[in-house]
Amino acid sequence: MRYIPSSPDERAAMLRDIGATSIDDLFRAIPPSLRRRVPLRLPPPQSEMELLQTMQALASRNATAETHAVFLGAGAYRHYRPAHIDALISRSEFYTAYTPYQPEIAQGTLQAIFEYQTMLCQLTGMEVANASMYDGSTALAEAVLMAARLTHRHKILIAETVHPEYREVVRTYVQTLGLQLQTVPYERTSGQLDSRALTVDESVGAVVVQSPNFFGGIEDLQRAAEAAHRVGALMIAVVVEPISLGVLRSPGEQGADIVVGEGQSLGVPLSFGGPYLGLFATRQKYVRQMPGRLAGQAFDNRGRRGFVLTLATREQHIRREKATSNICTNQGLAMLMATIYLATMGPQGLREVAIQNVQKAAYAARRIAALNGYACRFSGPRFNEFVIRTRRPVSETLARLRERHILGGVSLERWYPELDDCVLICVTEMNSRQEIDRLVDALAEL
C-alpha cells in the first residue's frame, strides 16, 4: 500500500467537517499537564543507507539463538526447523491467503487446514481438531469456557503447575463471567500436581492439568481424568510441548476430553515471542461447542474430492447467542509450518527428536546437579526441562552466564516466590554436547 499523505487543504477540510478549528482541538480531552510541550529529541534525518546501518547496529545488540547458547524454555522452545518450511510457506499462494470463505478459490488452504487437523488428532489422540486459535494461552481460556458450557458448572480446578501466564489469561477471561477458578497446589518434592489436594466434587466443571508441566515434570493425566469423570467433570490437558508426544502416551489415551497447547515447537520460529499457533482438539461429541472453525472433506456427484468449511461457530457466521467464540483466525502460515513439519518428521522422526530432548536434558541435569552449590529441585520424571536450585542469587548467576553468551534459563521467582533460588533450564535437540558442557563449566566457575 502506498503512503499518500493528505495535503494541508484536505486536512483543513476534514477538520471543518468535524467542527474543529485545528489539530489541537482533537486533543482537548487530554489535561494540559499531560501534554508534551517541547519537541522530541530525535536524531537528524538519515539517508536510506545510514538508516539501514543504524537499524542493523540496534539489531546486533539483541541476544539471539544464533549469537548465544540458549537454554530457555517456559513455553517457547528452540527446535530445528527443516529449511524447506520457509521455502514452501514463501510461495505467494500461501503468504497471501487469508480466511478461506470461498472454497472454489481456496482449495489449497482448505486442504492444508484439513491435513493439519488430521495430524493434530493423531498426535493428541483426539477425534476432531481446529486451526483457529491464537496461541496456547487463549486456546486454554477457550477450553475452560467450552467446559463450562458443556457441564453448566462454574468451578474450574487448575493445577499450579500450569504455565503461570496461561493461568493469568484464563483468569482474565473468566473474571466477569461468574466462573470460579481454584488453583490446585503442587507436591513440593516431585514438582507434580498434588493428587491429595485434588478434590473434585459435583460443582466442578473441568480439571486443567499440563504435562509436561511448567517445571518440566510429567503428570499423571489418567489419574486426574478419572477423578474428573467420576463426578461428570471434563478433563482438559494442556500440552505445552507437543514434541513430547513423540515418546509420551497421548492425552486422549489417558482420558483427556479437550487438549490444548502451544504449537510453536512444530516448525514455528521463536521470533521473539510470536506469532504462534494455538492447538485445540476434542472429542467428536463436543464438536458443537468447540470454538473456531473446521475444514472438512467432501465429494461431488462425480466422486471428486473437495474441501470446505464444515463448521464455523463465530458470531459473524451465526447468531451471537449461539456463537462459542469470536476467535476465528486460521493462523494460516503458522498452521502451514506445523503441517509441513509434521509431514516431514513423521512418527519416527518426531520420536527421534523427542528422545534426543529427553537424553540431552537428563545429561545436563545430571552434570549440573553434581556441581558444588547446585541441585535438582524436583524428583519427578521430566521431559526436556528441569529446575535447578543454586546457592548464588539466580539473577546474578544468569547475568554472569549472559556475559559468556549463554542464556542459562528462566528465574522462577517472578511466579513462584518459594522458588526464589531456582532456575528453569531447557535442553532441546539443538543443544550440542559441547554447548551443554560449556554451560556446566561456566556454572562451575561461578
Side-chain angles (χ1 to χ4, degrees):
M1 181 181 294
R2 293 179 298 165
Y3 172 62
I4 305 176
S6 303
S7 68
D9 288 342
E10 289 171 327
R11 290 196 292 271
M14 287 189 283
L15 288 171
R16 270 197 315 273
D17 285 347
I18 63 174
T21 58
S22 68
I23 294 291
D24 290 338
D25 287 349
L26 303 179
F27 304 101
R28 277 193 181 147
I30 302 175
S33 61
L34 299 179
R35 300 182 202 173
R36 188 175 183 88
R37 296 297 183 183
V38 296
L40 293 171
R41 294 182 180 179
L42 297 175
Q46 293 180 317
S47 68
E48 181 179 327
M49 182 174 67
E50 291 170 328
L51 182 60
L52 286 173
Q53 290 171 344
T54 299
M55 299 305 292
Q56 288 166 353
L58 289 173
S60 68
R61 293 160 59 183
N62 284 329
T64 71
E66 285 69 42
T67 61
H68 289 59
V70 178
F71 295 92
L72 302 176
Y77 302 94
R78 183 186 177 214
H79 290 290
Y80 179 71
R81 302 179 64 246
H84 64 274
I85 291 180
D86 287 341
L88 290 174
I89 67 167
S90 296
R91 292 178 61 92
S92 60
E93 60 264 43
F94 287 129
Y95 68 67
T96 60
Y98 188 55
T99 304
Y101 290 129
Q102 297 172 276
E104 63 272 17
I105 61 172
Q107 282 297 291
T109 299
L110 285 164
Q111 181 173 358
I113 295 175
F114 179 81
E115 301 292 353
Y116 163 80
Q117 292 171 176
T118 302
M119 287 188 276
L120 186 58
C121 286
Q122 294 170 342
L123 191 65
T124 60
M126 291 284 102
E127 296 164 342
V128 61
N130 71 22
S132 304
M133 296 290 104
Y134 293 134
D135 53 27
S137 64
T138 52
L140 174 58
E142 292 290 345
V144 166
L145 298 184
M146 175 178 164
R149 289 193 300 270
L150 286 166
T151 61
H152 304 287
R153 299 177 182 179
H154 302 289
K155 180 191 275 188
I156 306 296
L157 301 183
I158 186 167
E160 194 177 7
T161 51
V162 171
H163 196 305
E165 292 178 350
Y166 284 35
R167 287 188 277 125
E168 192 61 35
V169 170
V170 174
R171 190 172 292 109
T172 301
Y173 266 65
V174 307
Q175 62 185 353
T176 60
L177 299 178
L179 297 181
Q180 178 187 351
L181 201 62
Q182 182 176 316
T183 303
V184 183
Y186 64 91
E187 206 281 315
R188 292 307 195 252
T189 301
S190 68
Q192 298 166 298
L193 172 71
D194 188 348
S195 58
R196 296 168 299 180
L198 182 62
T199 304
V200 190
D201 57 35
E202 293 184 356
S203 67
V204 174
V207 176
V208 182
V209 182
Q210 173 180 325
S211 183
N213 65 31
F214 188 68
F215 303 139
I218 298 169
E219 298 279 11
D220 187 348
L221 295 181
Q222 185 166 340
R223 187 172 184 177
E226 290 171 352
H229 293 158
R230 273 196 294 268
V231 295
L234 298 185
M235 166 65 180
I236 302 175
V238 187
V239 184
V240 170
E241 176 53 296
I243 296 293
S244 68
L245 297 179
V247 290
L248 299 178
R249 290 172 62 206
S250 72
E253 291 179 89
Q254 300 182 69
D257 298 295
I258 307 173
V259 179
V260 297
E262 176 54 62
Q264 176 270 323
S265 294
L266 303 176
V268 180
L270 286 168
S271 302
F272 290 97
Y276 284 172
L277 171 66
L279 308 179
F280 199 111
T282 187
R283 301 195 181 279
Q284 179 70 36
K285 60 184 177 180
Y286 303 134
V287 67
R288 288 289 175 180
Q289 288 297 328
M290 185 174 71
R293 59 166 60 89
L294 292 178
Q297 178 178 267
F299 297 87
D300 66 11
N301 58 6
R302 297 183 185 178
R304 295 176 298 187
R305 185 174 69 155
F307 299 92
V308 294
L309 285 179
T310 57
L311 183 68
T313 56
R314 183 193 182 198
E315 63 182 37
Q316 174 178 323
H317 304 290
I318 59 178
R319 288 179 297 173
R320 176 172 294 183
E321 62 271 20
K322 296 289 186 180
T324 60
S325 170
N326 200 40
I327 290 183
C328 71
T329 179
N330 64 4
Q331 293 296 86
L333 283 179
M335 174 276 300
L336 185 61
M337 291 179 197
T339 306
I340 298 170
Y341 180 88
L342 288 170
T344 300
M345 291 298 182
Q348 184 59 35
L350 196 66
R351 177 175 173 80
E352 290 177 7
V353 172
I355 288 174
Q356 282 202 38
N357 278 248
V358 172
Q359 291 177 339
K360 290 186 175 184
Y363 172 77
R366 185 172 63 251
R367 288 217 56 198
I368 295 172
L371 297 175
N372 184 33
Y374 302 91
C376 282
R377 176 64 179 79
F378 299 120
S379 60
R382 52 182 174 255
F383 179 58
N384 65 355
E385 290 180 276
F386 53 92
V387 176
I388 290 292
R389 178 192 284 134
T390 172
R391 189 178 302 167
R392 180 187 296 271
V394 172
S395 59
E396 182 183 342
T397 299
L398 296 179
R400 296 283 294 276
L401 289 175
R402 283 195 297 272
E403 293 172 1
R404 293 166 166 79
H405 277 222
I406 299 173
L407 301 180
V410 177
S411 173
L412 292 177
E413 181 180 10
R414 172 182 170 187
W415 302 293
Y416 300 91
E418 72 276 14
L419 301 177
D420 59 351
D421 58 349
C422 293
V423 59
L424 179 67
I425 296 176
C426 177
V427 182
T428 74
E429 78 279 6
M430 296 294 287
N431 298 111
S432 65
R433 179 167 182 157
Q434 290 76 17
E435 265 191 356
I436 297 172
D437 290 343
R438 183 176 151 208
L439 169 66
V440 173
D441 292 343
L443 290 172
E445 289 175 19
L446 296 182

